[in-house]
């Protein structure tokens, strides 16, 4: 039986297509579990263009760290068009990595001896997020360089204020190559789902970027990804996003899914007209706005079992601070001594069964660890059944 989600996407594509409009339109949705849904002209490929800015920024962050990159590229919305000269007056930094000036600066920060090596590393990162080999369309590179006067001007200006350490022409050539990576809407939906999964590919389970880097990139996409239309986008669609002049838009709903829409034809802000319309429809129909938040703490305890061996707490789902706080209060209420005798002997043993849980973030790990240590300090015998090693992930990737 065909999924109703696929039928729904087909209806959306049909309803967003004008009768006399023969240009391609496609939409793809990929969950963090790797389930794929798509409709429309998904076989049509196109250059990735400015959507490449997101992962190039990610690679610069991975190579240098946030503080070093922040010295060169700010994180503030510019309020200007994507190709405007938006530099901070005091430092000469580009306003953010999603406009052309910031993207050129980010490209220059990627480790590599020349434009080819930097572009190859950027291509490889995109391939790892998509999960297949990708290629650069050389004809698009030629077209980009033929009309690169403004980007060259931006690069020379960045070099003049000390933001660009590489040769401006070389950087712009590399930037043109990253914008010319050939992709489909399904490719971009998988890329977006990998971002939504904190840098872990939904099919292979391979970590291709740290969650700390993904958090920074998604934060910047939220405030700057749709250029001077970002405010309207976040208010109406409410999904961190990035657009490109080829007519593609990606949306990333952290912990849930990635979406990609491709439709040529841009509005005056440089965003796909039908792409924006499709996203508005999906967000409204599927309650995808990131401010539509369900309580996350109440379901962290799946079950409580008490027998002769003590009390076992089965934990479930993705446990974050609110979930861990709910667990803590439940356990403290249950283990509060009711008489002097129970207080003296420390009470019955406590077991935390983490087998049903999917993930535990850094804040939850710290809170649960403190709870366990305090229970043991009160004389309780505490066991942690953690077959998947969730409590061991204490690095930034767990946060």
């Amino acid at each position: 039986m065909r999924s109703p989600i696929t039928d729904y996407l087909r209806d959306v594509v049909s309803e967003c297509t004008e009768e006399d409009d023969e240009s391609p339109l496609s939409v793809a949705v990929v969950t963090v579990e790797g389930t794929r849904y798509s409709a429309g002209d998904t076989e049509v490929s196109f250059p990735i263009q400015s959507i490449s800015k997101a992962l190039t920024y990610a690679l610069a962050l991975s190579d240098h760290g946030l503080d070093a990159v922040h010295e060169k590229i700010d994180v503030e919305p510019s309020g200007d068009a994507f190709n405007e000269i938006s530099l901070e007056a005091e430092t000469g930094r580009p306003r953010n990595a999603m406009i052309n000036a910031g993207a050129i600066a980010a490209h220059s920060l990627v480790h590599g001896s020349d434009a080819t090596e930097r572009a190859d590393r950027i291509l490889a990162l995109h391939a790892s997020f998509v999960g297949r080999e990708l290629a650069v369309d050389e004809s698009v590179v030629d077209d980009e360089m033929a009309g690169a006067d403004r980007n060259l001007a931006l690069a020379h200006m960045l070099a003049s204020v000390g933001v660009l350490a590489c040769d401006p022409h070389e950087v712009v050539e590399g930037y043109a190559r990253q914008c010319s990576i050939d992709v489909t809407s399904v490719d971009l939906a998988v890329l977006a789902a990998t971002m939504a999964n904190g840098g872990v590919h939904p099919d292979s389970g391979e970590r291709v970027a740290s969650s700390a880097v993904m958090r920074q990139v998604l934060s910047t996409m939220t405030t700057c990804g749709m250029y001077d239309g970002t405010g309207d986008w976040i208010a109406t669609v409410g999904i961190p996003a990035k657009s490109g002049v080829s007519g593609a838009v990606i949306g990333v709903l952290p912990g849930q899914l990635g979406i990609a829409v491709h439709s040529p034809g841009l509005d005056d802000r440089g965003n796909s007209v039908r792409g924006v319309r499709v996203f508005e429809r999906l967000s409204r129909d599927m309650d995808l706005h990131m401010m539509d938040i369900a309580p996350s703490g109440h379901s962290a305890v799946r079950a409580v079992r008490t027998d002769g061996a003590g009390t076992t707490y089965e934990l479930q789902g993705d446990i974050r601070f609110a979930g861990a706080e709910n667990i803590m209060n439940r356990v403290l209420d249950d283990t509060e001594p009711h008489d002097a005798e129970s207080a003296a002997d420390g009470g019955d043993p406590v077991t935390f069964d983490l087998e049903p849980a999917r993930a535990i973030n850094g804040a939850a790990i710290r809170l649960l660890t403190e709870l366990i240590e305090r229970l043991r300090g009160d004389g309780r015998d505490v066991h942690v059944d953690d077959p998947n090693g969730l409590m061991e992930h204490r690095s930034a990737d767990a946060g």
Side-chain angles (χ1 to χ4, degrees):
M1 183 177 70
R2 189 170 61 212
S3 167
I5 297 176
T6 300
D7 289 339
Y8 164 74
L9 293 178
R10 289 178 175 177
D11 288 342
V12 170
V13 168
S14 177
E15 292 169 18
C16 290
T17 301
E18 302 293 337
E19 189 172 329
D20 58 348
D21 191 347
E22 297 182 357
S23 62
L25 171 61
S26 61
V27 56
V29 177
V30 179
T31 70
V32 294
E33 287 80 24
T35 307
R36 305 183 183 195
Y37 307 96
S38 61
D41 303 303
T42 55
E43 75 286 351
V44 174
S45 65
F46 48 86
I48 193 170
Q49 294 292 355
S50 287
I51 291 174
S52 66
K53 293 172 180 176
L55 292 192
T56 301
Y57 183 44
L59 192 52
L61 290 167
S62 298
D63 284 350
H64 297 276
L66 175 58
D67 291 343
V69 173
H70 189 58
E71 289 180 2
K72 300 290 187 180
I73 307 168
D74 203 357
V75 292
E76 294 296 329
S78 68
D80 296 324
F82 65 91
N83 60 355
E84 285 296 312
I85 302 173
S86 296
L87 306 182
E88 190 177 55
E90 297 80 7
T91 65
R93 292 183 303 174
R95 289 295 184 184
N96 60 75
M98 300 297 118
I99 57 175
N100 284 15
I104 290 168
H107 182 97
S108 74
L109 290 173
V110 172
H111 286 324
S113 59
D114 55 26
T116 299
E117 185 175 350
R118 284 191 294 272
D120 285 347
R121 290 191 65 220
I122 292 168
L123 175 64
L125 184 63
H126 281 79
S128 67
F129 268 73
V130 169
R132 73 176 184 91
E133 291 296 318
L134 298 174
V136 171
D137 187 330
E138 297 294 341
S139 66
V140 176
V141 177
D142 292 341
D143 290 342
E144 290 287 322
M145 290 306 296
D149 291 343
R150 191 173 187 87
N151 283 341
L152 285 167
L154 289 171
H156 280 283
M157 179 167 289
L158 291 170
S160 72
V161 295
V163 171
L164 211 65
C166 309
D167 174 71
H169 192 280
E170 183 181 275
V171 171
V172 171
E173 181 183 350
Y175 175 66
R177 295 191 68 80
Q178 82 176 47
C179 290
S180 303
I181 297 171
D182 198 52
V183 293
T184 66
S185 56
V186 174
D187 289 334
L188 291 183
V190 176
L191 182 153
T194 303
M195 298 178 78
N197 205 27
V200 176
H201 194 280
D203 293 333
S204 68
E206 178 188 1
R207 176 166 290 285
V208 293
S210 77
S211 61
V213 166
M214 285 296 93
R215 181 176 60 196
Q216 178 65 21
V217 172
L218 290 176
S219 297
T220 306
M221 286 170 56
T222 301
T223 57
C224 311
M226 300 296 282
Y227 306 124
D228 49 330
T230 299
D232 286 341
W233 174 272
I234 289 299
T236 56
V237 177
I239 300 174
K242 186 70 196 80
S243 62
V245 296
S246 60
V249 184
I250 63 168
V252 180
L253 204 57
Q256 296 190 53
L257 47 81
I259 305 171
V261 179
H262 173 244
S263 173
L266 308 180
D267 59 22
D268 57 4
R269 290 164 165 169
N271 301 319
S272 168
V273 173
R274 290 194 296 181
V276 171
R277 193 183 310 158
V278 169
F279 264 97
E280 289 175 343
R281 173 76 182 272
L282 296 180
S283 177
R284 182 177 65 250
D285 292 352
M286 300 168 69
D287 293 328
L288 298 180
H289 198 293
M290 65 182 181
M291 296 304 174
D292 291 332
I293 302 171
S296 62
H298 299 299
S299 61
V301 179
R302 178 180 182 180
V304 180
R305 303 189 309 272
T306 301
D307 52 31
T311 302
T312 297
Y313 295 88
E314 281 189 19
L315 310 184
Q316 67 176 356
D318 291 350
I319 304 172
R320 304 174 72 83
F321 174 81
E325 189 273 342
N326 175 260
I327 295 165
M328 179 188 69
N329 281 334
R330 175 68 182 272
V331 172
L332 292 179
D333 287 344
D334 291 348
T335 57
E336 185 70 25
H338 298 292
D339 52 50
E341 182 179 349
S342 61
D345 68 14
D348 295 333
V350 172
T351 298
F352 293 100
D353 180 6
L354 275 61
E355 195 279 330
R358 179 178 179 272
I360 307 177
N361 81 346
I365 289 173
R366 291 189 291 272
L367 193 57
L368 292 176
T369 299
E370 182 67 20
L371 171 63
I372 291 166
E373 290 176 354
R374 293 192 179 197
L375 288 171
R376 287 172 175 162
D378 288 343
R380 295 258 180 186
D381 187 11
V382 181
H383 304 278
V384 179
D385 183 8
D386 185 16
N388 299 313
L390 300 181
M391 290 287 285
E392 298 171 7
H393 299 163
R394 301 178 187 229
S395 68
D397 287 340

mmCIF file of all heavy atoms in Angstrom, residues 238-275:
data_model
loop_
_atom_site.group_PDB
_atom_site.id
_atom_site.type_symbol
_atom_site.label_atom_id
_atom_site.label_comp_id
_atom_site.label_asym_id
_atom_site.label_seq_id
_atom_site.Cartn_x
_atom_site.Cartn_y
_atom_site.Cartn_z
ATOM 1 N N GLY A 238 8.547 28.786 9.959
ATOM 2 C CA GLY A 238 9.107 28.363 11.227
ATOM 3 C C GLY A 238 10.030 27.166 11.157
ATOM 4 O O GLY A 238 10.077 26.350 12.072
ATOM 5 N N ILE A 239 10.799 27.052 10.066
ATOM 6 C CA ILE A 239 11.747 25.952 9.895
ATOM 7 C C ILE A 239 13.093 26.540 9.474
ATOM 8 O O ILE A 239 13.144 27.298 8.503
ATOM 9 C CB ILE A 239 11.273 24.955 8.819
ATOM 10 C CG1 ILE A 239 9.916 24.352 9.199
ATOM 11 C CG2 ILE A 239 12.296 23.845 8.598
ATOM 12 C CD1 ILE A 239 9.314 23.477 8.115
ATOM 13 N N PRO A 240 14.202 26.233 10.164
ATOM 14 C CA PRO A 240 15.514 26.683 9.690
ATOM 15 C C PRO A 240 15.712 26.259 8.240
ATOM 16 O O PRO A 240 15.467 25.099 7.887
ATOM 17 C CB PRO A 240 16.495 25.958 10.626
ATOM 18 C CG PRO A 240 15.704 25.728 11.880
ATOM 19 C CD PRO A 240 14.302 25.454 11.415
ATOM 20 N N ALA A 241 16.158 27.193 7.391
ATOM 21 C CA ALA A 241 16.146 26.917 5.951
ATOM 22 C C ALA A 241 17.293 27.618 5.251
ATOM 23 O O ALA A 241 17.919 28.527 5.775
ATOM 24 C CB ALA A 241 14.816 27.364 5.342
ATOM 25 N N LYS A 242 17.551 27.159 4.028
ATOM 26 C CA LYS A 242 18.520 27.812 3.142
ATOM 27 C C LYS A 242 18.021 27.689 1.724
ATOM 28 O O LYS A 242 17.572 26.606 1.304
ATOM 29 C CB LYS A 242 19.906 27.167 3.261
ATOM 30 C CG LYS A 242 20.968 27.920 2.467
ATOM 31 C CD LYS A 242 21.281 29.261 3.107
ATOM 32 C CE LYS A 242 22.016 30.189 2.141
ATOM 33 N NZ LYS A 242 21.094 30.831 1.183
ATOM 34 N N SER A 243 18.105 28.776 0.984
ATOM 35 C CA SER A 243 17.648 28.788 -0.401
ATOM 36 C C SER A 243 18.820 28.987 -1.348
ATOM 37 O O SER A 243 19.924 29.354 -0.936
ATOM 38 C CB SER A 243 16.625 29.916 -0.611
ATOM 39 O OG SER A 243 17.236 31.181 -0.361
ATOM 40 N N GLY A 244 18.565 28.739 -2.632
ATOM 41 C CA GLY A 244 19.565 28.947 -3.669
ATOM 42 C C GLY A 244 18.907 29.471 -4.930
ATOM 43 O O GLY A 244 17.717 29.236 -5.166
ATOM 44 N N VAL A 245 19.681 30.173 -5.780
ATOM 45 C CA VAL A 245 19.101 30.817 -6.958
ATOM 46 C C VAL A 245 18.714 29.831 -8.052
ATOM 47 O O VAL A 245 18.082 30.221 -9.037
ATOM 48 C CB VAL A 245 20.047 31.892 -7.532
ATOM 49 C CG1 VAL A 245 20.244 33.014 -6.534
ATOM 50 C CG2 VAL A 245 21.379 31.290 -7.954
ATOM 51 N N SER A 246 19.061 28.557 -7.891
ATOM 52 C CA SER A 246 18.582 27.563 -8.852
ATOM 53 C C SER A 246 17.121 27.216 -8.589
ATOM 54 O O SER A 246 16.501 26.491 -9.375
ATOM 55 C CB SER A 246 19.430 26.292 -8.773
ATOM 56 O OG SER A 246 19.367 25.734 -7.479
ATOM 57 N N GLY A 247 16.560 27.724 -7.490
ATOM 58 C CA GLY A 247 15.158 27.476 -7.168
ATOM 59 C C GLY A 247 14.951 26.432 -6.100
ATOM 60 O O GLY A 247 13.821 26.013 -5.849
ATOM 61 N N ALA A 248 16.026 26.015 -5.444
ATOM 62 C CA ALA A 248 15.900 25.009 -4.388
ATOM 63 C C ALA A 248 15.822 25.678 -3.024
ATOM 64 O O ALA A 248 16.390 26.753 -2.804
ATOM 65 C CB ALA A 248 17.071 24.039 -4.436
ATOM 66 N N VAL A 249 15.123 25.017 -2.119
ATOM 67 C CA VAL A 249 15.057 25.426 -0.721
ATOM 68 C C VAL A 249 15.140 24.162 0.125
ATOM 69 O O VAL A 249 14.461 23.178 -0.174
ATOM 70 C CB VAL A 249 13.744 26.166 -0.384
ATOM 71 C CG1 VAL A 249 13.777 26.663 1.070
ATOM 72 C CG2 VAL A 249 13.483 27.325 -1.331
ATOM 73 N N ILE A 250 15.997 24.188 1.150
ATOM 74 C CA ILE A 250 15.994 23.086 2.111
ATOM 75 C C ILE A 250 15.476 23.603 3.442
ATOM 76 O O ILE A 250 15.657 24.771 3.798
ATOM 77 C CB ILE A 250 17.381 22.441 2.317
ATOM 78 C CG1 ILE A 250 18.384 23.438 2.915
ATOM 79 C CG2 ILE A 250 17.898 21.864 1.012
ATOM 80 C CD1 ILE A 250 19.673 22.800 3.404
ATOM 81 N N GLY A 251 14.806 22.725 4.183
ATOM 82 C CA GLY A 251 14.349 23.029 5.524
ATOM 83 C C GLY A 251 14.771 21.914 6.459
ATOM 84 O O GLY A 251 14.736 20.739 6.090
ATOM 85 N N VAL A 252 15.194 22.291 7.661
ATOM 86 C CA VAL A 252 15.706 21.324 8.632
ATOM 87 C C VAL A 252 14.932 21.475 9.936
ATOM 88 O O VAL A 252 14.989 22.529 10.573
ATOM 89 C CB VAL A 252 17.214 21.558 8.903
ATOM 90 C CG1 VAL A 252 17.728 20.550 9.920
ATOM 91 C CG2 VAL A 252 18.010 21.484 7.609
ATOM 92 N N LEU A 253 14.193 20.451 10.308
ATOM 93 C CA LEU A 253 13.489 20.447 11.579
ATOM 94 C C LEU A 253 14.254 19.520 12.514
ATOM 95 O O LEU A 253 14.150 18.292 12.408
ATOM 96 C CB LEU A 253 12.053 19.967 11.393
ATOM 97 C CG LEU A 253 11.046 20.434 12.445
ATOM 98 C CD1 LEU A 253 11.014 21.947 12.534
ATOM 99 C CD2 LEU A 253 9.661 19.901 12.135
ATOM 100 N N PRO A 254 15.065 20.086 13.417
ATOM 101 C CA PRO A 254 15.963 19.267 14.238
ATOM 102 C C PRO A 254 15.247 18.143 14.973
ATOM 103 O O PRO A 254 14.193 18.333 15.568
ATOM 104 C CB PRO A 254 16.546 20.290 15.221
ATOM 105 C CG PRO A 254 16.489 21.590 14.490
ATOM 106 C CD PRO A 254 15.220 21.521 13.698
ATOM 107 N N GLY A 255 15.861 16.953 14.876
ATOM 108 C CA GLY A 255 15.323 15.782 15.543
ATOM 109 C C GLY A 255 14.175 15.118 14.824
ATOM 110 O O GLY A 255 13.709 14.051 15.245
ATOM 111 N N GLN A 256 13.723 15.696 13.701
ATOM 112 C CA GLN A 256 12.560 15.144 13.016
ATOM 113 C C GLN A 256 12.826 14.795 11.552
ATOM 114 O O GLN A 256 12.790 13.625 11.188
ATOM 115 C CB GLN A 256 11.387 16.120 13.106
ATOM 116 C CG GLN A 256 10.883 16.360 14.513
ATOM 117 C CD GLN A 256 9.581 17.126 14.532
ATOM 118 O OE1 GLN A 256 8.595 16.759 13.888
ATOM 119 N NE2 GLN A 256 9.565 18.235 15.259
ATOM 120 N N LEU A 257 13.104 15.809 10.730
ATOM 121 C CA LEU A 257 13.173 15.528 9.295
ATOM 122 C C LEU A 257 13.854 16.651 8.536
ATOM 123 O O LEU A 257 14.105 17.726 9.064
ATOM 124 C CB LEU A 257 11.766 15.301 8.736
ATOM 125 C CG LEU A 257 10.665 16.298 9.118
ATOM 126 C CD1 LEU A 257 10.731 17.547 8.262
ATOM 127 C CD2 LEU A 257 9.284 15.659 8.969
ATOM 128 N N GLY A 258 14.153 16.341 7.271
ATOM 129 C CA GLY A 258 14.651 17.324 6.334
ATOM 130 C C GLY A 258 13.721 17.393 5.141
ATOM 131 O O GLY A 258 13.139 16.382 4.729
ATOM 132 N N ILE A 259 13.563 18.585 4.598
ATOM 133 C CA ILE A 259 12.676 18.811 3.450
ATOM 134 C C ILE A 259 13.459 19.541 2.376
ATOM 135 O O ILE A 259 14.282 20.412 2.675
ATOM 136 C CB ILE A 259 11.457 19.659 3.847
ATOM 137 C CG1 ILE A 259 10.696 19.040 5.018
ATOM 138 C CG2 ILE A 259 10.514 19.852 2.657
ATOM 139 C CD1 ILE A 259 9.607 19.951 5.588
ATOM 140 N N ALA A 260 13.192 19.219 1.127
ATOM 141 C CA ALA A 260 13.759 19.972 0.006
ATOM 142 C C ALA A 260 12.676 20.176 -1.045
ATOM 143 O O ALA A 260 11.901 19.265 -1.338
ATOM 144 C CB ALA A 260 14.956 19.255 -0.596
ATOM 145 N N VAL A 261 12.641 21.374 -1.583
ATOM 146 C CA VAL A 261 11.743 21.701 -2.687
ATOM 147 C C VAL A 261 12.585 22.339 -3.778
ATOM 148 O O VAL A 261 13.481 23.144 -3.496
ATOM 149 C CB VAL A 261 10.625 22.671 -2.247
ATOM 150 C CG1 VAL A 261 9.721 23.011 -3.437
ATOM 151 C CG2 VAL A 261 9.804 22.082 -1.111
ATOM 152 N N HIS A 262 12.305 21.970 -5.033
ATOM 153 C CA HIS A 262 12.984 22.613 -6.148
ATOM 154 C C HIS A 262 11.950 23.123 -7.136
ATOM 155 O O HIS A 262 11.070 22.376 -7.586
ATOM 156 C CB HIS A 262 13.922 21.647 -6.885
ATOM 157 C CG HIS A 262 14.502 22.239 -8.131
ATOM 158 N ND1 HIS A 262 14.236 21.741 -9.392
ATOM 159 C CD2 HIS A 262 15.320 23.307 -8.320
ATOM 160 C CE1 HIS A 262 14.870 22.456 -10.294
ATOM 161 N NE2 HIS A 262 15.542 23.400 -9.670
ATOM 162 N N SER A 263 12.045 24.419 -7.440
ATOM 163 C CA SER A 263 11.186 25.028 -8.446
ATOM 164 C C SER A 263 11.828 26.325 -8.908
ATOM 165 O O SER A 263 11.956 27.264 -8.120
ATOM 166 C CB SER A 263 9.792 25.318 -7.882
ATOM 167 O OG SER A 263 9.018 26.054 -8.819
ATOM 168 N N PRO A 264 12.272 26.400 -10.173
ATOM 169 C CA PRO A 264 12.840 27.653 -10.678
ATOM 170 C C PRO A 264 11.792 28.766 -10.659
ATOM 171 O O PRO A 264 10.589 28.510 -10.652
ATOM 172 C CB PRO A 264 13.234 27.299 -12.111
ATOM 173 C CG PRO A 264 13.326 25.808 -12.145
ATOM 174 C CD PRO A 264 12.300 25.320 -11.173
ATOM 175 N N GLY A 265 12.269 29.969 -10.657
ATOM 176 C CA GLY A 265 11.384 31.125 -10.577
ATOM 177 C C GLY A 265 11.485 31.747 -9.200
ATOM 178 O O GLY A 265 10.998 31.181 -8.223
ATOM 179 N N LEU A 266 12.177 32.906 -9.124
ATOM 180 C CA LEU A 266 12.509 33.503 -7.839
ATOM 181 C C LEU A 266 11.690 34.751 -7.562
ATOM 182 O O LEU A 266 11.257 35.456 -8.491
ATOM 183 C CB LEU A 266 14.000 33.868 -7.800
ATOM 184 C CG LEU A 266 14.997 32.763 -8.166
ATOM 185 C CD1 LEU A 266 16.424 33.313 -8.081
ATOM 186 C CD2 LEU A 266 14.834 31.548 -7.265
ATOM 187 N N ASP A 267 11.489 35.038 -6.271
ATOM 188 C CA ASP A 267 10.865 36.297 -5.894
ATOM 189 C C ASP A 267 11.939 37.379 -5.785
ATOM 190 O O ASP A 267 13.117 37.140 -6.080
ATOM 191 C CB ASP A 267 10.076 36.148 -4.586
ATOM 192 C CG ASP A 267 10.944 35.703 -3.406
ATOM 193 O OD1 ASP A 267 12.180 35.903 -3.460
ATOM 194 O OD2 ASP A 267 10.397 35.160 -2.428
ATOM 195 N N ASP A 268 11.544 38.576 -5.366
ATOM 196 C CA ASP A 268 12.512 39.679 -5.339
ATOM 197 C C ASP A 268 13.536 39.554 -4.228
ATOM 198 O O ASP A 268 14.451 40.371 -4.124
ATOM 199 C CB ASP A 268 11.786 41.018 -5.247
ATOM 200 C CG ASP A 268 10.871 41.114 -4.035
ATOM 201 O OD1 ASP A 268 10.839 40.175 -3.221
ATOM 202 O OD2 ASP A 268 10.171 42.144 -3.900
ATOM 203 N N ARG A 269 13.416 38.521 -3.385
ATOM 204 C CA ARG A 269 14.407 38.271 -2.344
ATOM 205 C C ARG A 269 15.363 37.153 -2.716
ATOM 206 O O ARG A 269 16.222 36.774 -1.928
ATOM 207 C CB ARG A 269 13.703 37.936 -1.034
ATOM 208 C CG ARG A 269 12.990 39.136 -0.414
ATOM 209 C CD ARG A 269 12.000 38.716 0.626
ATOM 210 N NE ARG A 269 11.580 39.835 1.456
ATOM 211 C CZ ARG A 269 10.568 39.792 2.312
ATOM 212 N NH1 ARG A 269 9.865 38.665 2.444
ATOM 213 N NH2 ARG A 269 10.252 40.849 3.035
ATOM 214 N N GLY A 270 15.193 36.581 -3.911
ATOM 215 C CA GLY A 270 16.074 35.520 -4.374
ATOM 216 C C GLY A 270 15.661 34.134 -3.933
ATOM 217 O O GLY A 270 16.447 33.195 -4.014
ATOM 218 N N ASN A 271 14.409 33.978 -3.470
ATOM 219 C CA ASN A 271 13.904 32.685 -3.018
ATOM 220 C C ASN A 271 12.863 32.146 -4.001
ATOM 221 O O ASN A 271 12.126 32.912 -4.621
ATOM 222 C CB ASN A 271 13.277 32.815 -1.628
ATOM 223 C CG ASN A 271 14.250 33.322 -0.597
ATOM 224 O OD1 ASN A 271 15.412 32.924 -0.578
ATOM 225 N ND2 ASN A 271 13.814 34.223 0.279
ATOM 226 N N SER A 272 12.789 30.828 -4.123
ATOM 227 C CA SER A 272 11.859 30.189 -5.041
ATOM 228 C C SER A 272 10.420 30.539 -4.684
ATOM 229 O O SER A 272 9.976 30.348 -3.543
ATOM 230 C CB SER A 272 12.046 28.669 -4.996
ATOM 231 O OG SER A 272 10.988 28.003 -5.658
ATOM 232 N N VAL A 273 9.665 31.035 -5.654
ATOM 233 C CA VAL A 273 8.269 31.433 -5.406
ATOM 234 C C VAL A 273 7.441 30.227 -4.979
ATOM 235 O O VAL A 273 6.774 30.237 -3.942
ATOM 236 C CB VAL A 273 7.666 32.082 -6.663
ATOM 237 C CG1 VAL A 273 6.170 32.345 -6.461
ATOM 238 C CG2 VAL A 273 8.388 33.381 -6.998
ATOM 239 N N ARG A 274 7.483 29.171 -5.805
ATOM 240 C CA ARG A 274 6.693 27.984 -5.462
ATOM 241 C C ARG A 274 7.313 27.214 -4.303
ATOM 242 O O ARG A 274 6.596 26.555 -3.546
ATOM 243 C CB ARG A 274 6.531 27.078 -6.691
ATOM 244 C CG ARG A 274 5.618 27.679 -7.747
ATOM 245 C CD ARG A 274 5.196 26.660 -8.781
ATOM 246 N NE ARG A 274 6.322 26.158 -9.559
ATOM 247 C CZ ARG A 274 6.214 25.263 -10.542
ATOM 248 N NH1 ARG A 274 5.020 24.764 -10.854
ATOM 249 N NH2 ARG A 274 7.264 24.854 -11.216
ATOM 250 N N GLY A 275 8.632 27.309 -4.154
ATOM 251 C CA GLY A 275 9.281 26.658 -3.022
ATOM 252 C C GLY A 275 8.767 27.211 -1.706
ATOM 253 O O GLY A 275 8.445 26.456 -0.774
#
